[in-house]
Amino acid sequence: MRRLIWGTLAATAITTALAGCGSSSNAGHASSSGGTAPTRAATSAPAEAPSPGAATPGNGTRSGGGTSGATGSGNAAGRPHCTSGMLTASLTDLGAAAGNRYATLVLTNTSGKHCTTGGWSGLQLAGADGTIPTNVVPEGTARTITIYNGGHAYERLHWGVVPAGDEPDTDRCEPVPSTLKVIPPNDTEQIAAGWTYGAVCRHGRIRLQPLTTTPEPR
């Protein structure tokens, strides 16, 4: 009888020990799933590259009646502001309609690196005898853009060829320009583009859209 009791006790002890091992294994698995295991220090993820087109705008400047400025938002880390020394200027004809003329000012980034800008360029018409009255009227909403190396930015110009009441009623309502001087937004140095579109009536008034990276269809 004593042998039977001892055998029963021994079997019970072995069963209990095995159950304890199973519980210990389950507890360890729960901990590795985020239950009670100590927290491991997080590894820093690589910083994301800045998104194209984001930058901090600068203050506007005025030159020869043309207003320039920037009103975008954001910050393009590591990208400099586009300056006149980084850009070249040219003009593309967009055609005419009922006394109106249109052209696109094209700024090309030749600096070897991306840069940011936004707003309206300062414009000044000029001829053989010097500067010509220029009145720039900014239109639209300015946004900060990135001009990639070798890329372009565009501004649409719109002006009239119908003289104002106090101008000569001819195709020479104002002196005829040969050059358009351009000051990029938030800059003070000029770059130039050739002007072959005749006189700008109404005292040199040019309606100007803000810089964009999307060319206007011709």
Side-chain angles (χ1 to χ4, degrees):
M1 190 69 178
R2 288 182 179 177
R3 289 180 181 177
L4 180 59
I5 294 173
W6 175 252
T8 302
L9 292 174
T12 303
I14 292 170
T15 302
T16 302
L18 290 174
C21 289
S23 299
S24 177
S25 175
N26 290 339
H29 179 72
S31 296
S32 66
S33 301
T36 58
T39 302
R40 181 179 297 177
T43 302
S44 298
E48 292 184 0
S51 59
T56 301
N59 295 325
T61 59
R62 179 179 293 273
S63 173
T67 302
S68 62
T71 59
S73 62
N75 180 27
R79 290 179 185 160
H81 183 79
C82 300
T83 63
S84 58
M86 305 168 73
L87 305 170
T88 60
S90 60
L91 288 164
T92 301
D93 187 9
L94 287 178
N100 295 284
R101 299 291 183 270
Y102 303 89
T104 296
L105 172 63
V106 183
L107 300 181
T108 301
N109 182 355
T110 59
S111 67
K113 52 191 172 184
H114 310 326
C115 63
T116 58
T117 186
W120 300 266
S121 296
L123 304 179
Q124 175 65 65
L125 296 167
D129 297 328
T131 59
I132 295 171
T134 309
N135 177 26
V136 177
V137 181
E139 297 181 334
T141 301
R143 290 180 175 84
T144 302
I145 62 171
T146 294
I147 310 178
Y148 292 98
N149 177 39
H152 311 284
Y154 309 89
E155 287 178 277
R156 189 185 73 170
L157 284 66
H158 169 205
W159 68 96
V161 293
V162 176
D166 56 350
E167 290 177 320
D169 190 13
T170 68
D171 60 352
R172 291 180 176 267
C173 53
E174 293 288 341
V176 177
S178 58
T179 302
L180 178 67
K181 297 180 179 181
V182 179
I183 300 180
N186 198 30
D187 200 4
T188 58
E189 299 297 324
Q190 296 177 343
I191 52 180
W195 183 275
T196 59
Y197 307 108
V200 177
C201 294
R202 299 188 173 275
H203 308 290
R205 185 174 68 182
I206 298 175
R207 298 184 182 277
L208 183 65
Q209 293 291 322
L211 281 163
T212 177
T213 54
T214 304
E216 185 148 349
R218 298 182 64 179

